[in-house]
Amino acid sequence: MKLADLYNYLRPEIQKIEEELERSVLTTHPVLEDASLHLLKAGGKRIRPVVVLLAGNYGTYDIERIKHIAVSLELIHMASLVHDDVIDDAELRRGQKTIKAQWDNRVAMYSGDYLFAKAIEKATFFEKPEIHKVISNTMIEMCIGEVEQIRDQYNWDQNLRTYLRRIRRKTAILIAVSCELGAMASDASKADQRRLHAYGYNLGMSYQIIDDVLDFVGTEKELGKPAGSDLLQGNITLPVLYAMEKDSSMREKLREIFVNEDPEEGQMREVLQEIRESGGMEFSKDMSQRYLKKAFEALEGLPDISATESLQSIAKYIGKRDH
Amino acid sequence: MKLADLYNYLRPEIQKIEEELERSVLTTHPVLEDASLHLLKAGGKRIRPVVVLLAGNYGTYDIERIKHIAVSLELIHMASLVHDDVIDDAELRRGQKTIKAQWDNRVAMYSGDYLFAKAIEKATFFEKPEIHKVISNTMIEMCIGEVEQIRDQYNWDQNLRTYLRRIRRKTAILIAVSCELGAMASDASKADQRRLHAYGYNLGMSYQIIDDVLDFVGTEKELGKPAGSDLLQGNITLPVLYAMEKDSSMREKLREIFVNEDPEEGQMREVLQEIRESGGMEFSKDMSQRYLKKAFEALEGLPDISATESLQSIAKYIGKRDH
């Protein structure tokens, strides 16, 4: 089944989740409601709800129950996006903030808090304490990931391990947990819960690595931001790590260019080209494929039902993603 | 029993909660740990844990269970303090932020998120879904309160209702819920849970109103910040509302003074004096006393045990508080 067919097939359930998401963010408070609805309408692939739904097929599938997990996890994802946007470096460089911009930042922070709280509230539909434990633990890991990302900005001495740990917390855990909780909420077997967790984890790692590669190869139009913007913000991803590892003069060059945190445009263009030609892109794609292979392997022990085929389709799509 | 005696009497239990709080914020991540421990060591009256402990006496008291509620609610309180400090107006006026200061702000935001997540994790000790529902609902209300406070800044047309709704969400709800959950976690009767909630709510309202009065009468040394700093930050509290209500020229004067959000020092001193002499202080103290009276009344249906006497002592202390 192709990905488009999968979304088509799941459309009625996804629609239900969209409605539930919208209902969740409705409040008596106009500012929070506007901020949340704006984010909701922006859409997204809803990958987390989709895998929750699919994982629900390994136990007793009940959309009226499982939708609460799907919504809860998507709200956590949305909250983390909102907090990611607070005081980003790009805005910083424009110089002094206006009161208005700061106001917006505080509102963004509290909107994120609000979405987190709503996510927890949604999860209280379930009386299983292990579900709450998994969710709170995921939030804890994600916070640590965010702080690590800030700490590691412009740190040219970090290594592959730092990077992998960071993307695990930033992306992979929430997808892993979406798969796991979809299964847990449907009373699937512990073994299947573990398989689905492993699938989601490896899928998430593969996805994030490709995302980091695409930041170098895409055009500004495809990416919705200039190419190399991760690096420009001091976020050091796999292709950069590879380029620095291969040729240590690259490390010194980057350190030099970013000494004022605002590199000259010509220098930036040059260094981006060198990274593209370093072999770092191929190395990263290869590592992404290796995670993807593990995602496929994790599916092997699962029963031969259509959900398994759908999860394979998602993995295949991620393997071919080029924008 | 005097308040000092009460704290003395509860010392072993409070000590247990301090230890549990410290254990909760220990992490493998140094930045988050430092930020959280710093906040912990700053102390505070731990009023929320204290009322949780006292409320636990109306059911089956078990410190090893109830401490998890006490810690969870104190972590929520700490998280809200951390987020309150993010991008505060005072810092704003100093002009452009340094990269370092912004970094700290993002770290502060994620430290708050982390404390929220830890609070939820702590609460998962309990398998009662109603406890989780009350906690997530409290967090939602507190977020709405924060956004309302931002929206209402420098809004000279707000009224008493806006103010009361704001302090309810900002302060009273969390104290009400601390009382209620202490009782709920100990399987106290529903009626006692309701009484304790009402006590906590009225206590919190009374407390916050007095806090807002003290901001005008205290010296800089007593307050740890200049007198009138609420007003300086555009937070319009009860004495100001009263002064504007009584003499509408005060409303216009404030609008005029704050037109650039940074009032001239002489004008500010003058307006503060006028507010002090408006009768707004007496009006506010009176309203605080009325909430306090309701707090005492809420205790009336409770059994005549020493915890009830202790709750009375806390209310008496708040009634006499002058710094």
Side-chain angles (χ1 to χ4, degrees), chain B residues 81-111:
Chain B
L81 290 182
V82 173
H83 278 187
D84 249 4
D85 282 347
V86 171
I87 338 171
D88 72 326
D89 273 16
E91 249 190 306
L92 259 185
R93 294 207 191 82
R94 280 182 224 138
Q96 189 176 350
K97 296 265 195 118
T98 60
I99 296 274
K100 180 72 188 143
Q102 291 281 12
W103 188 91
D104 285 343
N105 259 331
R106 293 201 71 184
V107 169
M109 180 177 74
Y110 287 120
S111 299

Side-chain angles (χ1 to χ4, degrees), chain A residues 219-238:
Chain A
T219 64
E220 183 155 353
K221 201 175 158 194
E222 280 169 355
L223 296 168
K225 54 186 179 179
S229 61
D230 282 340
L231 183 58
L232 203 56
Q233 286 176 32
N235 292 329
I236 300 165
T237 55
L238 194 49

Side-chain angles (χ1 to χ4, degrees), chain B residues 18 127 131 181 260 275:
Chain B
E18 293 290 340
E127 309 214 343
I131 289 181
L181 289 184
N260 295 315
I275 292 167

Side-chain angles (χ1 to χ4, degrees), chain A residues 14-276:
Chain A
I14 294 176
Q15 188 50 38
K16 221 178 246 288
I17 285 165
E18 293 291 339
E19 285 161 15
E20 196 68 31
L21 273 170
E22 196 163 327
R23 224 185 341 262
S24 311
V25 301
L26 292 182
T27 134
T28 49
H29 198 279
V31 174
L32 283 174
E33 194 172 303
D34 283 359
S36 308
L37 279 176
H38 178 78
L39 194 65
L40 254 187
K41 300 289 181 203
K45 287 189 277 306
R46 304 282 188 245
I47 181 80
R48 291 150 201 86
V50 166
V51 295
V52 169
L53 292 176
L54 292 172
N57 286 282
Y58 298 91
T60 312
Y61 186 85
D62 178 354
I63 180 70
E64 294 306 327
R65 285 176 60 80
I66 212 170
K67 68 178 181 185
H68 297 285
I69 287 288
V71 167
S72 178
L73 294 170
E74 188 68 6
L75 288 173
I76 290 177
H77 173 60
M78 285 167 61
S80 79
L81 290 181
V82 174
H83 278 188
D84 249 3
D85 283 346
V86 171
I87 338 170
D88 71 327
D89 274 16
E91 251 190 303
L92 258 186
R93 294 206 191 82
R94 281 181 222 139
Q96 188 174 351
K97 296 264 193 120
T98 61
I99 297 276
K100 182 73 189 141
Q102 292 280 13
W103 189 91
D104 285 345
N105 259 332
R106 292 201 71 184
V107 170
M109 180 177 74
Y110 287 121
S111 299
D113 289 2
Y114 174 78
L115 292 171
F116 272 131
K118 276 283 175 184
I120 304 293
E121 190 198 33
K122 267 285 142 203
T124 62
F125 174 84
F126 294 92
E127 309 213 344
K128 289 187 180 184
E130 62 264 43
I131 290 182
H132 300 277
K133 284 195 177 114
V134 170
I135 289 179
S136 54
N137 201 269
T138 304
M139 285 169 59
I140 291 168
E141 289 289 324
M142 287 173 74
C143 290
I144 297 177
E146 293 287 357
V147 173
E148 283 187 339
Q149 172 154 340
I150 296 170
R151 186 199 53 189
D152 293 339
Q153 272 181 325
Y154 306 107
N155 172 10
W156 311 105
D157 298 313
Q158 63 186 285
N159 57 32
L160 179 62
R161 229 179 100 231
T162 331
Y163 170 77
L164 293 177
R165 199 173 53 197
R166 196 164 64 232
I167 66 171
R168 181 177 78 82
R169 288 187 164 128
K170 187 181 155 165
T171 305
I173 287 179
L174 191 58
I175 298 178
V177 160
S178 299
C179 294
E180 182 184 357
L181 289 185
M184 196 186 283
S186 316
D187 298 314
S189 72
K190 282 260 176 262
D192 284 355
Q193 288 176 33
R194 267 195 302 273
R195 286 182 185 109
L196 287 159
H197 182 104
Y199 164 81
Y201 167 75
N202 287 295
L203 190 80
M205 294 296 282
S206 174
Y207 180 89
Q208 188 58 51
I209 293 171
I210 286 299
D211 218 56
D212 292 344
V213 167
L214 291 175
D215 189 62
F216 287 95
V217 296
T219 64
E220 183 155 353
K221 201 175 158 194
E222 280 169 355
L223 296 168
K225 54 186 179 179
S229 61
D230 282 340
L231 183 58
L232 203 56
Q233 286 176 32
N235 292 329
I236 300 165
T237 55
L238 194 49
V240 186
L241 284 171
Y242 180 88
M244 292 193 304
E245 217 31 68
K246 197 180 148 203
D247 178 0
S248 66
S249 74
M250 174 58 97
R251 194 185 308 273
E252 295 321 309
K253 189 180 242 170
L254 284 166
R255 211 190 294 275
E256 181 82 12
I257 290 179
F258 281 93
V259 72
N260 294 317
E261 288 186 22
D262 218 353
E264 199 250 303
E265 225 183 296
Q267 285 180 316
M268 187 67 191
R269 228 184 349 255
E270 191 187 306
V271 87
L272 283 177
Q273 197 51 35
E274 280 176 43
I275 291 167
R276 287 192 195 100

